[in-house]
Amino acid sequence: GAQTTQLLVQPPWRPAVLWDQVTLTCQGSGTAGATTWYKDGQRLGQEGHQHFLVTKSGNYTCERPGSGLSPPVRVLDDPLVLQVPVQALLEGDTVTLRCRR
C-alpha cells in the first residue's frame, strides 16, 4: 500500500497535554529535511525538522514529500486531564490511567 505520514507523540499518552512537554515526530517517506509543520491548518516556520516541541495548544499535522499530510494530533492545555496510553487496547487488557492537574 501507499506510504502514509504519521505523527508520533512523546510522552505516549492520550490526550497530549502541554505540561507533558510534548514532542511530535513526523514519520514518512522522503527526506526528514523536507518536513512541513502545521498548527490549526496554518503553516509554521519550523521547516525541515523531523521533531517538533509543542509550546501552544492546538491541532498539529506534518507533511512529508511522497507520503502527504499526517492525521492531526490535538494538544490540550487543560488543567485536569485523564490520560490513557497511546497503544491500542482490547477488552480485558490491564491499563494504567493517569490523572494529573
Side-chain angles (χ1 to χ4, degrees):
Q3 173 85 12
T4 57
T5 303
Q6 293 294 324
L7 264 183
L8 301 183
V9 182
Q10 280 297 329
W13 293 90
R14 186 176 288 142
V17 285
L18 274 185
W19 34 255
D20 263 341
Q21 292 193 317
V22 174
T23 299
L24 302 177
T25 301
C26 192
Q27 288 199 329
S29 62
T31 58
T35 303
T36 304
W37 290 95
Y38 299 89
K39 176 185 176 288
D40 300 324
Q42 301 291 314
R43 188 174 176 150
L44 295 170
Q46 251 72 6
E47 301 289 323
H49 295 287
Q50 186 177 2
H51 305 285
F52 183 84
L53 178 63
V54 178
T55 56
K56 294 180 180 170
S57 59
N59 290 299
Y60 290 84
T61 54
C62 70
E63 192 171 24
R64 292 281 287 272
S67 57
L69 197 63
S70 71
V73 167
R74 188 167 179 215
V75 181
L76 306 177
D77 192 20
D78 295 358
L80 180 63
V81 175
L82 179 66
Q83 292 177 303
V84 298
V86 163
Q87 78 260 24
L89 296 171
L90 299 173
E91 187 176 344
D93 286 352
T94 298
V95 60
T96 299
L97 300 178
R98 198 165 82 153
C99 187
R100 303 241 327 247
R101 65 186 177 112

